[in-house]
Amino acid sequence: FGKINMTDKTKYKSVAIDHDCYKKIEELAISLNPGVTLSRAQVVRILVNNKCLEDENYSYEHEGRLN
């Protein structure tokens, strides 16, 4: 028998989300990148990274400014 590849549990975590959010992620999997269906993990990764980038850009643009 061949070697079975197991997921490296030290590299991944899971999260619990409600059914409504799960459905939205599945819809985004199709609509975020037309012509390509993304995995749910890819959708979450893209959204989180985009939000962090937005926050970094906002911080950079407003760095040193007083309100």
Short mmCIF file of all heavy atoms in Angstrom, two decimals:
data_model
loop_
_atom_site.label_atom_id
_atom_site.label_comp_id
_atom_site.label_asym_id
_atom_site.label_seq_id
_atom_site.Cartn_x
_atom_site.Cartn_y
_atom_site.Cartn_z
N PHE A 1 0.83 -1.19 0.00
CA PHE A 1 0.00 0.00 0.00
C PHE A 1 0.87 1.24 0.00
O PHE A 1 1.95 1.26 0.59
CB PHE A 1 -0.93 0.03 1.20
CG PHE A 1 -1.93 -1.10 1.18
CD1 PHE A 1 -1.78 -2.20 1.98
CD2 PHE A 1 -3.02 -1.05 0.33
CE1 PHE A 1 -2.69 -3.23 1.96
CE2 PHE A 1 -3.93 -2.07 0.30
CZ PHE A 1 -3.78 -3.18 1.11
N GLY A 2 0.37 2.31 -0.62
CA GLY A 2 1.11 3.57 -0.69
C GLY A 2 1.01 4.37 0.59
O GLY A 2 0.19 4.10 1.46
N LYS A 3 1.89 5.33 0.68
CA LYS A 3 1.91 6.21 1.85
C LYS A 3 0.69 7.13 1.81
O LYS A 3 0.35 7.68 0.77
CB LYS A 3 3.18 7.04 1.84
CG LYS A 3 3.33 7.95 3.02
CD LYS A 3 4.62 8.74 2.95
CE LYS A 3 4.70 9.72 4.08
NZ LYS A 3 5.87 10.57 3.99
N ILE A 4 0.03 7.33 2.94
CA ILE A 4 -1.12 8.21 3.04
C ILE A 4 -0.64 9.57 3.49
O ILE A 4 0.05 9.69 4.51
CB ILE A 4 -2.18 7.66 4.03
CG1 ILE A 4 -2.69 6.32 3.54
CG2 ILE A 4 -3.30 8.66 4.22
CD1 ILE A 4 -3.63 5.64 4.50
N ASN A 5 -0.96 10.62 2.72
CA ASN A 5 -0.60 11.98 3.10
C ASN A 5 -1.65 12.54 4.03
O ASN A 5 -2.82 12.61 3.68
CB ASN A 5 -0.48 12.88 1.86
CG ASN A 5 0.71 12.51 1.02
OD1 ASN A 5 1.71 12.03 1.53
ND2 ASN A 5 0.60 12.71 -0.28
N MET A 6 -1.22 12.93 5.20
CA MET A 6 -2.12 13.51 6.18
C MET A 6 -1.91 15.02 6.23
O MET A 6 -0.80 15.49 5.99
CB MET A 6 -1.87 12.91 7.57
CG MET A 6 -2.03 11.40 7.63
SD MET A 6 -3.70 10.85 7.29
CE MET A 6 -4.49 11.33 8.80
N THR A 7 -2.95 15.75 6.55
CA THR A 7 -2.85 17.20 6.69
C THR A 7 -1.95 17.51 7.89
O THR A 7 -2.06 16.90 8.94
CB THR A 7 -4.24 17.80 6.92
OG1 THR A 7 -5.05 17.49 5.79
CG2 THR A 7 -4.17 19.30 7.09
N ASP A 8 -1.04 18.46 7.69
CA ASP A 8 -0.16 18.89 8.77
C ASP A 8 -0.96 19.75 9.73
O ASP A 8 -1.24 20.91 9.46
CB ASP A 8 1.02 19.66 8.20
CG ASP A 8 2.03 20.07 9.25
OD1 ASP A 8 1.73 19.94 10.46
OD2 ASP A 8 3.11 20.53 8.87
N LYS A 9 -1.33 19.19 10.87
CA LYS A 9 -2.20 19.88 11.83
C LYS A 9 -1.53 21.07 12.48
O LYS A 9 -2.19 21.89 13.11
CB LYS A 9 -2.69 18.90 12.89
CG LYS A 9 -3.63 17.85 12.32
CD LYS A 9 -4.11 16.92 13.40
CE LYS A 9 -5.04 15.88 12.79
NZ LYS A 9 -5.57 14.97 13.80
N THR A 10 -0.20 21.19 12.34
CA THR A 10 0.49 22.34 12.93
C THR A 10 0.36 23.58 12.05
O THR A 10 0.69 24.68 12.48
CB THR A 10 1.99 22.05 13.15
OG1 THR A 10 2.63 21.81 11.87
CG2 THR A 10 2.18 20.84 14.05
N LYS A 11 -0.12 23.43 10.82
CA LYS A 11 -0.22 24.56 9.88
C LYS A 11 -1.62 25.14 9.76
O LYS A 11 -1.79 26.20 9.16
CB LYS A 11 0.24 24.13 8.48
CG LYS A 11 1.70 23.83 8.38
CD LYS A 11 2.06 23.53 6.95
CE LYS A 11 3.55 23.27 6.80
NZ LYS A 11 3.90 23.07 5.39
N TYR A 12 -2.62 24.47 10.28
CA TYR A 12 -3.99 24.88 10.05
C TYR A 12 -4.80 24.95 11.33
O TYR A 12 -4.54 24.24 12.29
CB TYR A 12 -4.68 23.91 9.07
CG TYR A 12 -3.95 23.80 7.76
CD1 TYR A 12 -3.07 22.75 7.53
CD2 TYR A 12 -4.13 24.74 6.77
CE1 TYR A 12 -2.38 22.65 6.33
CE2 TYR A 12 -3.44 24.65 5.57
CZ TYR A 12 -2.58 23.60 5.36
OH TYR A 12 -1.89 23.50 4.18
N LYS A 13 -5.83 25.79 11.31
CA LYS A 13 -6.81 25.90 12.39
C LYS A 13 -8.18 25.86 11.75
O LYS A 13 -8.35 26.15 10.57
CB LYS A 13 -6.65 27.22 13.16
CG LYS A 13 -5.34 27.37 13.87
CD LYS A 13 -5.32 26.52 15.11
CE LYS A 13 -4.05 26.76 15.88
NZ LYS A 13 -4.00 25.94 17.08
N SER A 14 -9.18 25.54 12.54
CA SER A 14 -10.55 25.57 12.03
C SER A 14 -11.32 26.65 12.78
O SER A 14 -10.93 27.06 13.86
CB SER A 14 -11.23 24.22 12.19
OG SER A 14 -11.34 23.90 13.55
N VAL A 15 -12.40 27.10 12.17
CA VAL A 15 -13.28 28.08 12.80
C VAL A 15 -14.71 27.60 12.65
O VAL A 15 -15.05 26.89 11.71
CB VAL A 15 -13.13 29.50 12.18
CG1 VAL A 15 -11.75 30.04 12.43
CG2 VAL A 15 -13.44 29.49 10.71
N ALA A 16 -15.55 28.01 13.58
CA ALA A 16 -16.97 27.68 13.51
C ALA A 16 -17.71 28.94 13.05
O ALA A 16 -17.50 30.02 13.57
CB ALA A 16 -17.48 27.24 14.87
N ILE A 17 -18.55 28.78 12.04
CA ILE A 17 -19.36 29.89 11.53
C ILE A 17 -20.80 29.41 11.39
O ILE A 17 -21.06 28.21 11.27
CB ILE A 17 -18.84 30.40 10.17
CG1 ILE A 17 -18.75 29.27 9.16
CG2 ILE A 17 -17.50 31.08 10.33
CD1 ILE A 17 -18.43 29.73 7.76
N ASP A 18 -21.71 30.36 11.41
CA ASP A 18 -23.12 29.97 11.28
C ASP A 18 -23.44 29.64 9.81
O ASP A 18 -22.65 29.90 8.91
CB ASP A 18 -24.05 31.05 11.84
CG ASP A 18 -23.92 32.39 11.14
OD1 ASP A 18 -23.79 32.42 9.90
OD2 ASP A 18 -23.94 33.41 11.83
N HIS A 19 -24.59 29.05 9.61
CA HIS A 19 -24.99 28.59 8.28
C HIS A 19 -25.11 29.74 7.28
O HIS A 19 -24.76 29.58 6.10
CB HIS A 19 -26.31 27.82 8.35
CG HIS A 19 -26.18 26.51 9.06
ND1 HIS A 19 -25.72 25.38 8.46
CD2 HIS A 19 -26.44 26.18 10.35
CE1 HIS A 19 -25.69 24.39 9.32
NE2 HIS A 19 -26.13 24.85 10.50
N ASP A 20 -25.58 30.89 7.73
CA ASP A 20 -25.73 32.04 6.85
C ASP A 20 -24.38 32.51 6.32
O ASP A 20 -24.21 32.75 5.13
CB ASP A 20 -26.44 33.19 7.59
CG ASP A 20 -26.71 34.37 6.68
OD1 ASP A 20 -27.32 34.17 5.61
OD2 ASP A 20 -26.32 35.49 7.07
N CYS A 21 -23.40 32.60 7.20
CA CYS A 21 -22.05 33.01 6.79
C CYS A 21 -21.45 31.97 5.85
O CYS A 21 -20.81 32.31 4.86
CB CYS A 21 -21.18 33.21 8.02
SG CYS A 21 -19.53 33.82 7.65
N TYR A 22 -21.64 30.71 6.16
CA TYR A 22 -21.13 29.62 5.32
C TYR A 22 -21.68 29.73 3.90
O TYR A 22 -20.95 29.59 2.92
CB TYR A 22 -21.52 28.28 5.94
CG TYR A 22 -20.89 27.08 5.30
CD1 TYR A 22 -19.66 26.59 5.73
CD2 TYR A 22 -21.54 26.40 4.27
CE1 TYR A 22 -19.09 25.47 5.14
CE2 TYR A 22 -20.98 25.29 3.68
CZ TYR A 22 -19.75 24.82 4.12
OH TYR A 22 -19.19 23.71 3.53
N LYS A 23 -22.98 30.01 3.80
CA LYS A 23 -23.62 30.16 2.49
C LYS A 23 -23.01 31.33 1.73
O LYS A 23 -22.75 31.24 0.52
CB LYS A 23 -25.12 30.36 2.65
CG LYS A 23 -25.87 30.48 1.35
CD LYS A 23 -27.35 30.66 1.57
CE LYS A 23 -28.04 30.86 0.23
NZ LYS A 23 -29.46 31.14 0.37
N LYS A 24 -22.76 32.43 2.43
CA LYS A 24 -22.15 33.60 1.79
C LYS A 24 -20.74 33.29 1.28
O LYS A 24 -20.34 33.73 0.20
CB LYS A 24 -22.12 34.78 2.76
CG LYS A 24 -23.48 35.35 3.05
CD LYS A 24 -23.43 36.42 4.13
CE LYS A 24 -24.82 36.91 4.48
NZ LYS A 24 -24.81 37.85 5.60
N ILE A 25 -19.99 32.52 2.06
CA ILE A 25 -18.65 32.13 1.63
C ILE A 25 -18.73 31.28 0.37
O ILE A 25 -17.95 31.47 -0.57
CB ILE A 25 -17.90 31.39 2.76
CG1 ILE A 25 -17.57 32.37 3.89
CG2 ILE A 25 -16.62 30.74 2.24
CD1 ILE A 25 -17.04 31.71 5.14
N GLU A 26 -19.68 30.37 0.32
CA GLU A 26 -19.85 29.53 -0.86
C GLU A 26 -20.23 30.37 -2.09
O GLU A 26 -19.75 30.11 -3.19
CB GLU A 26 -20.88 28.45 -0.61
CG GLU A 26 -20.37 27.39 0.33
CD GLU A 26 -21.25 26.16 0.40
OE1 GLU A 26 -22.49 26.30 0.30
OE2 GLU A 26 -20.68 25.07 0.56
N GLU A 27 -21.06 31.39 -1.90
CA GLU A 27 -21.43 32.28 -3.01
C GLU A 27 -20.21 33.07 -3.47
O GLU A 27 -19.99 33.26 -4.67
CB GLU A 27 -22.56 33.21 -2.59
CG GLU A 27 -23.88 32.49 -2.37
CD GLU A 27 -24.94 33.34 -1.69
OE1 GLU A 27 -24.66 34.50 -1.33
OE2 GLU A 27 -26.06 32.82 -1.50
N LEU A 28 -19.42 33.56 -2.52
CA LEU A 28 -18.21 34.30 -2.87
C LEU A 28 -17.18 33.43 -3.56
O LEU A 28 -16.40 33.91 -4.38
CB LEU A 28 -17.59 34.94 -1.61
CG LEU A 28 -18.36 36.13 -1.05
CD1 LEU A 28 -17.83 36.48 0.33
CD2 LEU A 28 -18.26 37.33 -1.99
N ALA A 29 -17.17 32.14 -3.27
CA ALA A 29 -16.24 31.21 -3.90
C ALA A 29 -16.40 31.21 -5.42
O ALA A 29 -15.45 31.04 -6.17
CB ALA A 29 -16.43 29.80 -3.35
N ILE A 30 -17.62 31.50 -5.85
CA ILE A 30 -17.92 31.52 -7.29
C ILE A 30 -17.75 32.92 -7.86
O ILE A 30 -17.25 33.10 -8.97
CB ILE A 30 -19.36 31.02 -7.54
CG1 ILE A 30 -19.48 29.56 -7.08
CG2 ILE A 30 -19.76 31.17 -8.99
CD1 ILE A 30 -20.90 29.05 -6.97
N SER A 31 -18.12 33.95 -7.10
CA SER A 31 -18.19 35.31 -7.65
C SER A 31 -16.91 36.14 -7.49
O SER A 31 -16.73 37.11 -8.22
CB SER A 31 -19.36 36.07 -7.02
OG SER A 31 -19.15 36.25 -5.64
N LEU A 32 -16.04 35.80 -6.57
CA LEU A 32 -14.84 36.62 -6.35
C LEU A 32 -13.89 36.63 -7.54
O LEU A 32 -13.27 37.63 -7.85
CB LEU A 32 -14.06 36.14 -5.12
CG LEU A 32 -14.48 36.68 -3.78
CD1 LEU A 32 -13.61 36.08 -2.67
CD2 LEU A 32 -14.41 38.19 -3.72
N ASN A 33 -13.75 35.49 -8.18
CA ASN A 33 -12.83 35.36 -9.30
C ASN A 33 -13.56 34.65 -10.44
O ASN A 33 -13.47 33.43 -10.57
CB ASN A 33 -11.60 34.56 -8.84
CG ASN A 33 -10.44 34.70 -9.78
OD1 ASN A 33 -10.51 35.40 -10.78
ND2 ASN A 33 -9.35 34.02 -9.47
N PRO A 34 -14.29 35.42 -11.27
CA PRO A 34 -15.11 34.81 -12.32
C PRO A 34 -14.32 33.82 -13.17
O PRO A 34 -13.19 34.06 -13.56
CB PRO A 34 -15.56 36.02 -13.16
CG PRO A 34 -15.53 37.16 -12.20
CD PRO A 34 -14.35 36.87 -11.29
N GLY A 35 -14.95 32.68 -13.41
CA GLY A 35 -14.32 31.64 -14.22
C GLY A 35 -13.55 30.63 -13.38
O GLY A 35 -13.12 29.60 -13.88
N VAL A 36 -13.33 30.95 -12.10
CA VAL A 36 -12.60 30.05 -11.21
C VAL A 36 -13.41 29.90 -9.92
O VAL A 36 -13.84 30.89 -9.34
CB VAL A 36 -11.20 30.63 -10.86
CG1 VAL A 36 -10.48 29.74 -9.86
CG2 VAL A 36 -10.38 30.85 -12.11
N THR A 37 -13.62 28.68 -9.50
CA THR A 37 -14.29 28.45 -8.22
C THR A 37 -13.22 28.27 -7.15
O THR A 37 -12.37 27.38 -7.25
CB THR A 37 -15.19 27.21 -8.28
OG1 THR A 37 -16.18 27.42 -9.29
CG2 THR A 37 -15.87 26.95 -6.94
N LEU A 38 -13.23 29.14 -6.16
CA LEU A 38 -12.26 29.10 -5.08
C LEU A 38 -12.74 28.17 -3.98
O LEU A 38 -13.93 27.92 -3.84
CB LEU A 38 -12.08 30.50 -4.49
CG LEU A 38 -11.63 31.60 -5.45
CD1 LEU A 38 -11.73 32.96 -4.79
CD2 LEU A 38 -10.22 31.33 -5.94
N SER A 39 -11.82 27.68 -3.19
CA SER A 39 -12.20 26.90 -2.01
C SER A 39 -12.69 27.87 -0.94
O SER A 39 -12.41 29.07 -0.98
CB SER A 39 -11.02 26.10 -1.48
OG SER A 39 -10.05 26.98 -0.92
N ARG A 40 -13.41 27.35 0.04
CA ARG A 40 -13.86 28.20 1.14
C ARG A 40 -12.66 28.79 1.88
O ARG A 40 -12.67 29.96 2.27
CB ARG A 40 -14.76 27.40 2.09
CG ARG A 40 -16.12 27.06 1.44
CD ARG A 40 -17.01 26.27 2.37
NE ARG A 40 -16.45 25.00 2.77
CZ ARG A 40 -16.54 23.86 2.06
NH1 ARG A 40 -17.20 23.87 0.91
NH2 ARG A 40 -16.01 22.75 2.50
N ALA A 41 -11.61 28.00 2.05
CA ALA A 41 -10.41 28.50 2.72
C ALA A 41 -9.78 29.65 1.93
O ALA A 41 -9.32 30.64 2.50
CB ALA A 41 -9.39 27.37 2.90
N GLN A 42 -9.75 29.54 0.60
CA GLN A 42 -9.20 30.61 -0.23
C GLN A 42 -10.03 31.89 -0.09
O GLN A 42 -9.48 32.98 -0.05
CB GLN A 42 -9.15 30.19 -1.70
CG GLN A 42 -8.09 29.16 -1.99
CD GLN A 42 -8.20 28.60 -3.39
OE1 GLN A 42 -9.30 28.30 -3.86
NE2 GLN A 42 -7.07 28.46 -4.06
N VAL A 43 -11.35 31.75 -0.04
CA VAL A 43 -12.23 32.92 0.12
C VAL A 43 -11.92 33.63 1.44
O VAL A 43 -11.72 34.84 1.47
CB VAL A 43 -13.72 32.52 0.07
CG1 VAL A 43 -14.62 33.68 0.47
CG2 VAL A 43 -14.09 32.01 -1.32
N VAL A 44 -11.87 32.87 2.51
CA VAL A 44 -11.59 33.47 3.82
C VAL A 44 -10.22 34.13 3.81
O VAL A 44 -10.05 35.26 4.28
CB VAL A 44 -11.70 32.42 4.95
CG1 VAL A 44 -11.23 32.99 6.27
CG2 VAL A 44 -13.13 31.91 5.04
N ARG A 45 -9.22 33.45 3.26
CA ARG A 45 -7.86 34.00 3.20
C ARG A 45 -7.83 35.31 2.42
O ARG A 45 -7.22 36.30 2.85
CB ARG A 45 -6.92 32.98 2.57
CG ARG A 45 -5.46 33.35 2.66
CD ARG A 45 -4.53 32.28 2.09
NE ARG A 45 -4.78 30.97 2.70
CZ ARG A 45 -5.27 29.92 2.05
NH1 ARG A 45 -5.58 30.01 0.77
NH2 ARG A 45 -5.46 28.78 2.66
N ILE A 46 -8.49 35.37 1.27
CA ILE A 46 -8.53 36.58 0.44
C ILE A 46 -9.19 37.72 1.20
O ILE A 46 -8.67 38.84 1.24
CB ILE A 46 -9.27 36.30 -0.89
CG1 ILE A 46 -8.40 35.43 -1.79
CG2 ILE A 46 -9.65 37.61 -1.60
CD1 ILE A 46 -9.15 34.87 -2.99
N LEU A 47 -10.34 37.46 1.81
CA LEU A 47 -11.06 38.52 2.53
C LEU A 47 -10.26 39.04 3.72
O LEU A 47 -10.19 40.25 3.94
CB LEU A 47 -12.42 38.01 2.97
CG LEU A 47 -13.40 37.66 1.84
CD1 LEU A 47 -14.68 37.07 2.42
CD2 LEU A 47 -13.70 38.85 0.97
N VAL A 48 -9.66 38.14 4.47
CA VAL A 48 -8.87 38.57 5.64
C VAL A 48 -7.64 39.36 5.19
O VAL A 48 -7.35 40.43 5.73
CB VAL A 48 -8.45 37.34 6.49
CG1 VAL A 48 -7.42 37.72 7.53
CG2 VAL A 48 -9.68 36.72 7.14
N ASN A 49 -6.93 38.87 4.19
CA ASN A 49 -5.75 39.58 3.71
C ASN A 49 -6.10 40.95 3.13
O ASN A 49 -5.38 41.92 3.36
CB ASN A 49 -4.98 38.74 2.69
CG ASN A 49 -4.27 37.57 3.32
OD1 ASN A 49 -3.98 37.58 4.52
ND2 ASN A 49 -3.98 36.56 2.54
N ASN A 50 -7.20 41.04 2.39
CA ASN A 50 -7.63 42.32 1.84
C ASN A 50 -7.98 43.32 2.94
O ASN A 50 -7.62 44.49 2.87
CB ASN A 50 -8.82 42.15 0.90
CG ASN A 50 -8.43 41.57 -0.44
OD1 ASN A 50 -7.25 41.46 -0.77
ND2 ASN A 50 -9.41 41.15 -1.20
N LYS A 51 -8.66 42.85 3.97
CA LYS A 51 -9.02 43.73 5.09
C LYS A 51 -7.77 44.21 5.82
O LYS A 51 -7.65 45.39 6.16
CB LYS A 51 -9.96 42.99 6.05
CG LYS A 51 -10.33 43.80 7.28
CD LYS A 51 -11.04 45.09 6.92
CE LYS A 51 -11.45 45.84 8.17
NZ LYS A 51 -11.69 47.25 7.92
N CYS A 52 -6.83 43.32 6.05
CA CYS A 52 -5.59 43.71 6.72
C CYS A 52 -4.81 44.71 5.87
O CYS A 52 -4.24 45.68 6.40
CB CYS A 52 -4.73 42.49 7.01
SG CYS A 52 -5.40 41.46 8.32
N LEU A 53 -4.78 44.52 4.57
CA LEU A 53 -4.10 45.45 3.68
C LEU A 53 -4.77 46.82 3.70
O LEU A 53 -4.10 47.85 3.75
CB LEU A 53 -4.07 44.89 2.26
CG LEU A 53 -3.28 45.67 1.23
CD1 LEU A 53 -1.82 45.79 1.64
CD2 LEU A 53 -3.38 44.99 -0.13
N GLU A 54 -6.11 46.83 3.69
CA GLU A 54 -6.85 48.10 3.79
C GLU A 54 -6.50 48.83 5.08
O GLU A 54 -6.26 50.03 5.08
CB GLU A 54 -8.36 47.84 3.78
CG GLU A 54 -8.95 47.52 2.44
CD GLU A 54 -10.44 47.20 2.54
OE1 GLU A 54 -11.05 47.49 3.60
OE2 GLU A 54 -10.99 46.67 1.57
N ASP A 55 -6.47 48.08 6.18
CA ASP A 55 -6.14 48.68 7.48
C ASP A 55 -4.72 49.22 7.50
O ASP A 55 -4.47 50.30 8.03
CB ASP A 55 -6.33 47.67 8.61
CG ASP A 55 -7.80 47.34 8.87
OD1 ASP A 55 -8.68 48.03 8.30
OD2 ASP A 55 -8.06 46.39 9.62
N GLU A 56 -3.77 48.48 6.91
CA GLU A 56 -2.39 48.94 6.85
C GLU A 56 -2.28 50.21 6.01
O GLU A 56 -1.58 51.14 6.38
CB GLU A 56 -1.49 47.86 6.26
CG GLU A 56 -1.26 46.70 7.19
CD GLU A 56 -0.53 45.55 6.52
OE1 GLU A 56 -0.03 45.72 5.39
OE2 GLU A 56 -0.46 44.47 7.13
N ASN A 57 -2.97 50.23 4.87
CA ASN A 57 -2.95 51.41 4.01
C ASN A 57 -3.56 52.61 4.71
O ASN A 57 -3.05 53.72 4.61
CB ASN A 57 -3.67 51.14 2.68
CG ASN A 57 -2.88 50.24 1.77
OD1 ASN A 57 -1.66 50.10 1.90
ND2 ASN A 57 -3.57 49.59 0.86
N TYR A 58 -4.66 52.40 5.42
CA TYR A 58 -5.31 53.48 6.16
C TYR A 58 -4.36 54.03 7.21
O TYR A 58 -4.20 55.23 7.35
CB TYR A 58 -6.60 52.99 6.81
CG TYR A 58 -7.31 54.08 7.58
CD1 TYR A 58 -8.16 54.97 6.93
CD2 TYR A 58 -7.12 54.22 8.95
CE1 TYR A 58 -8.80 55.98 7.63
CE2 TYR A 58 -7.76 55.22 9.66
CZ TYR A 58 -8.59 56.10 9.00
OH TYR A 58 -9.21 57.11 9.70
N SER A 59 -3.72 53.13 7.94
CA SER A 59 -2.78 53.55 8.99
C SER A 59 -1.63 54.34 8.39
O SER A 59 -1.20 55.35 8.93
CB SER A 59 -2.24 52.34 9.74
OG SER A 59 -3.27 51.73 10.47
N TYR A 60 -1.11 53.87 7.27
CA TYR A 60 0.01 54.54 6.61
C TYR A 60 -0.40 55.93 6.14
O TYR A 60 0.33 56.89 6.32
CB TYR A 60 0.50 53.70 5.43
CG TYR A 60 1.63 54.36 4.68
CD1 TYR A 60 2.92 54.37 5.20
CD2 TYR A 60 1.39 54.98 3.45
CE1 TYR A 60 3.95 54.99 4.51
CE2 TYR A 60 2.42 55.60 2.76
CZ TYR A 60 3.69 55.60 3.29
OH TYR A 60 4.72 56.20 2.61
N GLU A 61 -1.59 56.04 5.54
CA GLU A 61 -2.07 57.32 5.02
C GLU A 61 -2.33 58.33 6.12
O GLU A 61 -2.21 59.52 5.93
CB GLU A 61 -3.35 57.11 4.20
CG GLU A 61 -3.13 56.39 2.89
CD GLU A 61 -4.42 56.01 2.20
OE1 GLU A 61 -5.51 56.33 2.73
OE2 GLU A 61 -4.34 55.38 1.14
N HIS A 62 -2.71 57.85 7.30
CA HIS A 62 -3.06 58.75 8.41
C HIS A 62 -2.01 58.80 9.50
O HIS A 62 -2.23 59.38 10.54
CB HIS A 62 -4.42 58.32 9.00
CG HIS A 62 -5.53 58.48 8.01
ND1 HIS A 62 -5.87 57.49 7.12
CD2 HIS A 62 -6.35 59.52 7.75
CE1 HIS A 62 -6.86 57.92 6.36
NE2 HIS A 62 -7.18 59.14 6.71
N GLU A 63 -0.87 58.21 9.25
CA GLU A 63 0.20 58.19 10.22
C GLU A 63 0.71 59.61 10.50
O GLU A 63 0.99 60.37 9.57
CB GLU A 63 1.34 57.33 9.70
CG GLU A 63 2.43 57.05 10.70
CD GLU A 63 3.44 56.08 10.10
OE1 GLU A 63 3.16 54.88 10.10
OE2 GLU A 63 4.49 56.56 9.65
N GLY A 64 0.75 59.95 11.74
CA GLY A 64 1.29 61.27 12.11
C GLY A 64 0.30 62.42 11.99
O GLY A 64 0.62 63.54 12.31
N ARG A 65 -0.90 62.14 11.51
CA ARG A 65 -1.89 63.21 11.38
C ARG A 65 -2.71 63.31 12.67
O ARG A 65 -3.03 62.31 13.29
CB ARG A 65 -2.85 62.94 10.23
CG ARG A 65 -2.20 63.01 8.87
CD ARG A 65 -3.25 62.85 7.82
NE ARG A 65 -2.64 62.71 6.50
CZ ARG A 65 -3.32 62.49 5.40
NH1 ARG A 65 -4.63 62.35 5.44
NH2 ARG A 65 -2.70 62.37 4.27
N LEU A 66 -3.09 64.50 13.01
CA LEU A 66 -3.97 64.69 14.15
C LEU A 66 -5.38 64.89 13.64
O LEU A 66 -5.60 65.48 12.59
CB LEU A 66 -3.56 65.93 14.96
CG LEU A 66 -2.18 65.87 15.59
CD1 LEU A 66 -1.86 67.18 16.26
CD2 LEU A 66 -2.14 64.74 16.63
N ASN A 67 -6.35 64.40 14.34
CA ASN A 67 -7.75 64.55 13.90
C ASN A 67 -8.26 65.94 14.12
O ASN A 67 -7.99 66.68 14.92
CB ASN A 67 -8.65 63.56 14.65
CG ASN A 67 -8.35 62.15 14.19
OD1 ASN A 67 -7.81 61.95 13.11
ND2 ASN A 67 -8.71 61.18 15.01
#
